[in-house]
Structures are given as structure tokens and as C-alpha cells.
Amino acid sequence: MKYVLLTGKTMTLFAWGVMIFNLFMPFPGNTGLALNILLLVTAFMHAMQVLMFYSMFSQQMKLTKKDFLTVFGFGVFALLEYRKKLMLQLQHT
């Protein structure tokens, strides 16, 4: 599972990089437009995941800005990581 999360985070980081690169050096034609739309959809979906993260984990864990930024950047892969961390905490108590 560790390698799946790492691979997912790497691919997500690459996708963010391509979409942000497209803002400064637009790809020609419909590709650039599609990447701009995809950036908006991705940012919206990751913002929704941050809200889910807050509602699911705020009572069990002390959350920092870094936690929220991690979830915004890596989405479901970060959520799975925090879920695993919380499950380990609950097992030890």
C-alpha cells in the first residue's frame, strides 16, 4: 500500500505540474483549453476533499495548515494516508 500511495502522489504532483505549466506556457489548441478546465475541476474536487478531511479528522487529530495543504495537493492519496495514521492511533489506545 505504501508504494501505491507514493506512486499516486507522484502522478498527482506531475499532473498539477503540467496543469500549472499550461497557465504560463499554454499548449496549442484544445489541449491548453482542456488543461485549464481540468485545473479548475481538480482544484474544486481537491477543495471538497479538504472539507471532507476536516469533517472526518478534526475531532480525532490536531490538524495544521500543512495537513490541509497536503490534502489539497494530493487528494485521495493524502486522505488514505491520514486514515491509515488514524487507524494506527486508535489501535494503540
Side-chain angles (χ1 to χ4, degrees):
M1 184 71 165
K2 180 180 179 180
Y3 295 111
V4 172
L5 293 176
L6 183 61
T7 302
K9 284 177 139 183
T10 303
M11 290 177 4
T12 303
L13 188 62
F14 177 75
W16 275 111
V18 169
M19 291 183 287
I20 292 171
F21 177 80
N22 182 61
L23 289 175
F24 300 103
M25 301 284 291
F27 290 96
N30 290 336
T31 304
L33 178 62
L35 284 171
N36 286 337
I37 293 169
L38 188 59
L39 178 62
L40 290 173
V41 170
T42 302
F44 177 77
M45 293 304 295
H46 282 224
M48 291 295 109
Q49 289 175 343
V50 168
L51 293 175
M52 287 174 34
F53 174 67
Y54 178 76
S55 68
M56 291 181 348
F57 294 104
S58 64
Q59 294 177 350
Q60 291 89 0
M61 302 171 74
K62 183 177 183 331
L63 303 174
T64 64
K65 286 182 184 180
K66 180 184 175 232
D67 297 325
F68 290 109
L69 288 174
T70 300
V71 172
F72 184 78
F74 297 111
V76 69
F77 300 108
L79 287 174
L80 289 171
E81 211 168 51
Y82 282 104
R83 179 183 173 272
K84 182 178 173 184
K85 185 187 296 186
L86 181 62
M87 296 300 267
L88 287 174
Q89 275 183 357
L90 292 175
Q91 284 179 351
H92 287 85
T93 57

